[in-house]
Amino acid sequence: ENNRNSDSRGALIVLEGLDRSGKSSQSSRMMSYLEGLGVSAELWRFPDRSTCVGQMISSYLANKSDLDDHTIHLLFSANRWEKRSLMETKLRTGTTLIVDRYSYSGVAFSSAKGLDIEWCKAPEMGLLAPDLVVYLNIPPEKAAERGGYGGERYEQLDFQRKVAHHYQVLRDPSWKIIDASLPIEDVEKPLRDMVLDCVKTCKKGKTLLNLWS
Ligand code: T5A
Ligand code: NA
């Protein structure tokens, strides 16, 4: 009985991909699915625009303020650090977190601007390591066709091509890749299987690790 909390640990599941790859659509569909199954879960997203740091990020993305590339990188990272302890509490008390973007976005987008990749990774060290990273894979050209970019700073085809390349540099063999250019239901189906599998493994008490491990 004393081990009840560790027995019921929630899973840290991260969705990554280019702008318009379908992360937000899939995260919210996943939440309804998990809810229906009675799995305790929350949907998180980064940047979390609700905090003071998040508001600075949001203003930068909307081109309402300019920041040095290093500065904005550290703000994105700080925005994850300010949620780290709550994240750990949720996971250890059995809540699964579906997270729309995480440290990999931080590194892929900043290194696509030309910042050194090791420098980009450094401030992410010590954040919680995801139990599952799913990359929604879509050609940048195809993503750009979806609803048109809304004018935020990084929503340009040339830049998204560079980001796609840097995601490939960052990617490790544990990542699951889904063809995100398929219809929504065909992306959702394999994603459900991956998520349920991960939730089960974590429930059995899989160790919670830190990045980058
Ligand atoms: N960033 C982020 C950093 O630089 N560093 C960091 O550390 C972090 C965390 C904001 C920006 O910040 C950068 C990355 C971003 O450029 P954001 O707020 O997550 O990040 O914004 P976006 O990723 O741009 O969110 P989008 O809403 O554009 O993309 P999604 O969530 O991937 O896509 P979604 O689900 O909203 O779908 C886009 C459109 O496509 C349709 C949807 O209906 C919608 O219209 N769609 C599909 N159409 C056909 N087939 C499918 N399978 C479809 N799936 C969705
Ligand atoms: Na989104």
Side-chain angles (χ1 to χ4, degrees):
E1 273 304 303
N2 285 341
N3 280 333
R4 202 184 167 278
N5 280 350
S6 62
D7 282 351
S8 64
R9 167 162 102 70
L12 180 54
I13 296 166
V14 169
L15 296 189
E16 287 284 358
L18 298 181
D19 292 18
R20 301 294 186 279
S21 54
K23 302 172 301 300
S24 297
S25 309
Q26 292 298 334
S27 324
S28 55
R29 294 168 78 101
M30 185 55 62
M31 286 305 298
S32 321
Y33 175 64
L34 293 175
E35 210 166 37
L37 293 176
V39 175
S40 164
E42 287 182 14
L43 172 49
W44 283 28
R45 65 175 61 248
F46 290 107
D48 176 342
R49 303 186 193 218
S50 71
T51 68
C52 292
V53 173
Q55 283 162 29
M56 291 177 72
I57 294 171
S58 192
S59 151
Y60 172 84
L61 289 172
N63 290 307
K64 287 181 182 152
S65 63
D66 277 315
L67 292 170
D68 168 79
D69 290 343
H70 301 80
T71 309
I72 184 64
H73 181 78
L74 295 173
L75 287 178
F76 272 115
S77 185
N79 187 230
R80 284 181 280 279
W81 275 102
E82 62 186 343
K83 304 304 289 281
R84 190 201 180 283
S85 108
L86 182 61
M87 186 178 253
E88 182 162 356
T89 302
K90 294 276 179 189
L91 294 170
R92 291 205 189 278
T93 54
T95 302
T96 282
L97 302 178
I98 304 294
V99 183
D100 184 349
R101 294 195 184 279
Y102 196 55
S103 301
Y104 312 97
S105 286
V107 177
F109 280 75
S110 292
S111 62
K113 293 172 167 177
L115 299 188
D116 177 72
I117 192 165
E118 293 307 322
W119 188 90
C120 291
K121 286 168 89 168
E124 308 297 320
M125 285 175 195
L127 288 171
L128 294 170
D131 296 297
L132 172 65
V133 179
V134 181
Y135 184 74
L136 298 185
N137 192 33
I138 190 168
E141 297 74 20
K142 179 116 191 202
E145 285 166 12
R146 288 185 176 168
Y149 291 140
E152 281 212 322
R153 190 177 286 262
Y154 298 141
E155 297 175 347
Q156 290 165 19
L157 184 53
D158 279 352
F159 185 67
Q160 294 288 322
R161 285 193 181 112
K162 288 185 188 153
V163 174
H165 168 73
H166 284 83
Y167 266 124
Q168 294 318 305
V169 172
L170 200 57
R171 161 180 168 183
D172 75 54
S174 72
W175 287 24
K176 306 281 188 199
I177 316 293
I178 297 181
D179 181 354
S181 58
L182 296 173
I184 246 171
E185 296 77 12
D186 296 341
V187 178
E188 185 177 26
K189 198 170 175 296
L191 184 58
R192 283 181 173 185
D193 294 341
M194 290 169 191
V195 166
L196 282 190
D197 197 49
C198 180
V199 166
K200 274 183 207 152
T201 309
C202 291
K203 212 170 180 176
K204 286 181 195 152
K206 178 172 179 269
T207 311
L208 197 51
L209 299 172
N210 288 335
L211 282 176
W212 303 85
S213 50

